[in-house]
Amino acid sequence: MASVKTTVRRAALALPVAPTGPENPLPPLCLLREARTLEERAKEGLPRDMARQIGHEPLRDILPVRVLDGYGRERTDTRLDTLVIENDRLRATVLPGYGGRVHSLFHKPTGRELLYRNPVVQPAGFALNGAWTSGGIEWNIGATGHGTLSCAPVHAARVTAPDGGEMLRLWEWERLRDLPFQVDLWLPEDSDFLHVGVRVRNPHDRPAPVYWWSNIAVPEDHRVLVPADAAWRSSCPGELRRVPVPKSDGADRTYPLRSDYSADYFYDVPDGARRWIAALDEDGHGLVQTSTDLLRGRKLFVWGTGAGGRRWQEWLTEPGTGGYAEIQAGLARTQLEHVRLAAESELSWLEAYGPLSAPADLVHGDWAGARDEAEARLAAALPREAVDAAHEAWLTRADAEPGEVLAVGSGWGALEVLRAGYKLPGTPFEESTLGPRQAPWLELLRSGAVPEPREAAPPGPTLVARHWRDMLETAPAHPHAEYHLGVAQWHADDRAQAVRSWERGLERASSRWPLLRCLAVADRTEGNLERAADRYEEAFDDLCRERRDDGATWTAATAALGREAMSVLLAAGRPAAARTVWDRLHEATRAEGRFRLLEARLLGAEGDRAGVRALFDAGLEPADLREGAEILGELWTAATGGEPVPARYDFRTRPPKEPTASSG
């Protein structure tokens, strides 16, 4: 029987989806949570390159990206555009609107799904910029954590593969580090392995820090196999402890369901060993991922069997559909590290994903035997030399110009290419992708001036890279330009100058609230809580006077500023002022789960324990809870005088008195 030619095609998939919602229009001057790193003394004894790369150029904020926190938990059946690449052995389904995530990898001969395929699309607050979804294969680029493209569209097109068949190319401009990247997926004829060529380019005249982890969701009832006898375990910020593999602290941790709490295991794969990781079920069947040697790191993330871990599994997926663990592959040993990419250079590697089967008694036997058997089976199915050869063959096609465009991402890459004249063969950022969000910056590029808004509206996003900051510094000092300049200076850690820019803009601004809000954040950062509270009150009053309608843009701005203002007013011990802000929010906003949580905090500050309890009894579902959040349990305990936290409100992923882990 003749083999089926590999094809790339458009398709659609109906899933229950909670929409991502509008962007938060306030510039994120601070991280949504503290950057993960280690104190210097904690680095003692670590391999030299690991110690050097830990803490290398961590983020201070997520500018120029904006926060996505406007989603809820109401899901409706939705038709999602997909891109499907398949041959007679495999079918991979990609979601171009969600960062190019591989939603499904189906092995036709056995009828097995190789990944954990999430039956819903439910954003949660795990990405560096908020919204993130679980399941499938996720491409993480940027900085420690889940990347900002998790719920964003990427460019996609059809390209000729190294063997003459069809290949799917995904590409975008990663904005945290200002780096273009591409992900090419293809299936060689008769292959059981999805091949993935990845390239990250630095077109600038200065080095750049790079972070990459491919996160693969697999059913949590599998055993994870990897060529390592030790791992660096992290179960809380600031901790990195070397532990033996498979057993540590009395249990075999290569079984995700044998951990009580969430944890990261960064495997110490020996130099020279083949890079691979597998997850196999009770019968010895499952998925294996392997790569060329540049992608050196391998990791297991587990949620654990505690009440909090079980609750997160329900929160991110659908109750009753089974939980997942993540096996991952990255450029460094751990996710605390960023590697240095020299100016005007690139990194590239090849990954392969496919089925792996081995006798169940060996898979679940002693560690050395299980590991060696899996590696031998992988070598028979896809030799190491074949992966290296596939990488070399792919490099001859990496610059090939895309053919039919299958999906369109953002216009930010086009703006950067237009600004600097970069030559990026293979990943065209066409001027046709420029849109309204890029328009003010195109005007700055061409005229040297930031256009003042023609009508009152929340400011658009700010570009903060050095070249844009330089242009802002020489632009006419109108209030709108001073606002953007201050944001760019804040990002550059020139905070005193940022405050001066915002104060200058405030002197002549007709729209004062964006500048007042920035100054309030600066006050809060410096520990001046009272002045921050004063400025937030003034900013919210100004916004309410200025807003023109109840449309999506003004509603999002009111919600975002109101939420920040209330949080600071409550922290400053001003519940009456916080209540005034609450009363001026839109009714639909107050009904959202994240604002019901804010209402519970307000009622608690007002001493209304019965009111807090009533909100819990009615059901609190703040959609943007961040990983490790314990606020619901804390509020419950305060409102009930110490009653046990109900399972639906128990999101604890750590033992008492210990910090939490991260899956990013």
Side-chain angles (χ1 to χ4, degrees):
M1 180 177 177
S3 61
V4 176
K5 182 179 179 181
T6 298
T7 60
V8 174
R9 58 183 170 86
R10 287 190 178 96
L13 179 66
L15 286 176
V17 174
T20 303
E23 284 186 337
N24 184 323
L26 306 182
L29 301 178
C30 303
L31 291 172
L32 299 187
R33 63 179 176 186
E34 288 187 23
R36 294 181 64 196
T37 187
L38 293 179
E39 295 180 0
E40 287 301 316
R41 62 182 179 181
K43 297 179 184 178
E44 296 176 5
L46 298 181
R48 186 171 301 176
D49 61 335
M50 183 193 295
R52 183 178 64 252
Q53 291 173 171
I54 288 176
H56 172 59
E57 295 198 34
L59 294 180
R60 290 188 292 269
D61 54 59
I62 60 165
L63 291 164
V65 177
R66 285 186 158 184
V67 172
L68 290 172
D69 58 5
Y71 50 88
R73 291 192 55 79
E74 183 176 339
R75 299 189 287 262
T76 57
D77 287 341
T78 305
R79 180 186 182 277
L80 295 178
D81 292 331
T82 66
L83 300 172
V84 176
I85 177 169
E86 67 179 313
N87 62 6
D88 58 349
R89 311 290 295 175
L90 283 176
R91 179 172 65 246
T93 303
V94 175
L95 300 178
Y98 289 83
R101 178 186 299 268
V102 179
H103 174 71
S104 167
L105 187 60
F106 183 76
H107 189 234
K108 296 179 179 181
T110 59
R112 295 192 186 101
E113 173 61 52
L114 301 181
L115 305 173
Y116 173 81
R117 182 175 57 194
N118 199 333
V120 301
V121 176
Q122 175 57 64
F126 285 23
L128 290 166
N129 65 328
W132 169 85
T133 62
S134 63
I137 304 172
E138 167 193 4
W139 316 114
N140 270 314
I141 179 173
T144 299
H146 292 285
T148 62
L149 293 168
S150 178
C151 290
V154 296
H155 301 282
R158 200 186 311 270
V159 186
T160 302
D163 61 359
E166 291 190 331
M167 179 164 68
L168 173 61
R169 175 161 299 163
L170 311 170
W171 74 98
E172 246 303 351
W173 195 280
E174 200 289 310
R175 301 180 66 211
L176 293 180
R177 302 302 195 180
D178 243 358
L179 302 176
F181 71 98
Q182 73 189 76
V183 178
D184 287 357
L185 301 93
W186 80 100
L187 292 165
E189 187 175 353
D190 296 328
S191 178
D192 280 300
F193 284 84
L194 175 68
H195 286 45
V196 181
V198 183
R199 176 166 63 170
V200 180
R201 290 193 272 200
N202 178 10
H204 308 295
D205 60 1
R206 62 190 183 280
V210 176
Y211 174 95
W212 182 283
W213 283 81
S214 301
N215 288 14
I216 310 137
V218 294
E220 66 177 351
D221 58 359
H222 288 26
R223 189 185 197 187
V224 174
L225 302 174
V226 64
D229 293 313
W232 302 94
R233 181 183 186 272
S234 175
S235 59
C236 63
E239 178 204 70
L240 200 61
R241 180 165 62 96
R242 188 176 171 86
V243 297
V245 174
K247 290 185 178 181
S248 63
D249 298 326
D252 187 334
R253 305 298 177 177
T254 61
Y255 291 91
L257 290 174
R258 295 183 185 176
S259 290
D260 295 329
Y261 298 99
S262 65
D264 298 327
Y265 293 91
F266 299 104
Y267 293 110
D268 194 3
V269 179
D271 291 341
R274 184 176 186 179
R275 271 45 177 157
W276 63 273
I277 189 167
L280 305 182
D281 65 17
E282 62 180 359
D283 297 320
H285 306 300
L287 171 84
V288 64
Q289 187 269 3
T290 187
S291 71
T292 48
D293 288 352
L294 183 67
L295 202 67
R296 67 178 302 175
R298 293 297 185 275
K299 172 192 164 183
L300 166 65
F301 168 76
V302 300
W303 277 113
T305 58
R310 295 301 89 195
R311 185 69 180 105
W312 277 116
Q313 294 274 20
E314 294 175 347
W315 189 258
L316 297 172
T317 60
E318 184 72 13
T321 57
Y324 73 94
E326 288 178 355
I327 57 174
Q328 306 180 13
L331 282 174
R333 285 186 179 92
T334 74
Q335 289 170 337
L336 304 181
E337 303 169 65
H338 299 87
V339 302
R340 183 180 184 273
L341 179 56
E344 300 178 344
S345 64
E346 64 182 48
L347 296 171
S348 74
W349 62 91
L350 186 125
E351 305 180 44
Y353 298 80
L356 188 72
S357 293
D361 59 334
L362 294 177
V363 168
H364 300 287
D366 72 278
W367 176 244
R371 184 190 60 203
D372 293 348
E373 180 66 20
E375 184 154 2
R377 299 270 175 157
L378 171 60
L382 186 67
R384 185 177 188 177
E385 297 77 12
V387 175
D388 293 336
H391 179 227
E392 293 301 319
W394 169 69
L395 287 175
T396 68
R397 303 298 305 161
D399 286 348
E401 289 306 309
E404 179 189 3
V405 173
L406 301 172
V408 178
S410 77
W412 297 113
L415 183 66
E416 292 300 328
V417 168
L418 193 63
R419 178 194 65 81
Y422 294 129
K423 304 299 181 184
L424 299 168
T427 54
F429 294 94
E430 303 289 355
E431 286 190 45
S432 60
T433 63
L434 292 169
R437 288 154 60 84
Q438 291 80 42
W441 301 96
L442 192 60
E443 177 67 22
L444 174 63
L445 183 63
R446 289 172 172 169
S447 72
V450 177
E452 286 291 300
R454 295 181 180 178
E455 58 184 26
T462 303
L463 297 185
V464 296
R466 183 179 64 187
H467 39 267
W468 293 107
R469 188 173 76 250
D470 290 345
M471 281 185 264
L472 288 169
E473 288 175 346
T474 58
H478 301 308
H480 204 56
E482 294 285 18
Y483 162 81
H484 286 300
L485 175 58
V487 174
Q489 290 167 331
W490 181 273
H491 173 74
D493 208 26
D494 190 354
R495 297 188 170 183
Q497 190 60 54
V499 168
R500 285 192 285 272
S501 295
W502 292 325
E503 289 175 340
R504 283 196 306 269
L506 197 60
E507 292 173 0
R508 294 185 294 148
S510 57
S511 180
R512 294 169 54 82
W513 66 267
L515 293 152
L516 285 167
R517 181 265 176 178
C518 289
L519 289 168
V521 173
D523 287 333
R524 180 72 189 272
T525 303
E526 292 300 316
N528 195 334
L529 185 60
E530 291 299 324
R531 191 164 69 180
D534 290 341
R535 280 178 160 156
Y536 267 118
E537 274 195 276
E538 186 180 356
F540 192 75
D541 285 345
D542 188 70
L543 182 150
C544 289
R545 285 192 299 268
E546 182 179 300
R547 68 186 182 197
R548 297 296 187 261
D549 54 49
D550 291 334
T553 300
W554 280 111
T555 298
T558 305
L561 184 58
R563 192 182 190 192
E564 284 190 14
M566 286 186 65
S567 295
V568 171
L569 289 167
L570 290 173
R574 302 188 194 178
R579 171 63 67 180
T580 299
V581 173
W582 173 263
D583 290 341
R584 298 168 80 181
L585 295 172
H586 293 85
E587 183 177 353
T589 297
R590 293 197 297 264
E592 294 179 16
R594 56 188 175 138
F595 282 88
R596 285 300 187 196
L597 174 59
L598 191 56
E599 183 184 14
R601 292 175 56 200
L602 174 58
L603 290 169
E606 293 172 334
D608 187 355
R609 290 173 56 177
V612 177
R613 178 61 184 262
L615 283 176
F616 274 109
D617 290 344
L620 273 180
E621 283 201 334
D624 63 341
L625 282 179
R626 296 195 67 78
E627 183 181 0
E630 298 185 7
I631 181 64
L632 288 177
E634 292 166 358
L635 283 171
W636 171 271
T637 300
T640 63
E643 290 183 20
V645 179
R648 68 181 297 189
Y649 298 128
D650 188 355
F651 289 86
R652 293 170 294 184
T653 57
R654 61 182 181 176
K657 305 295 184 181
E658 293 182 12
T660 186
S662 169
S663 69

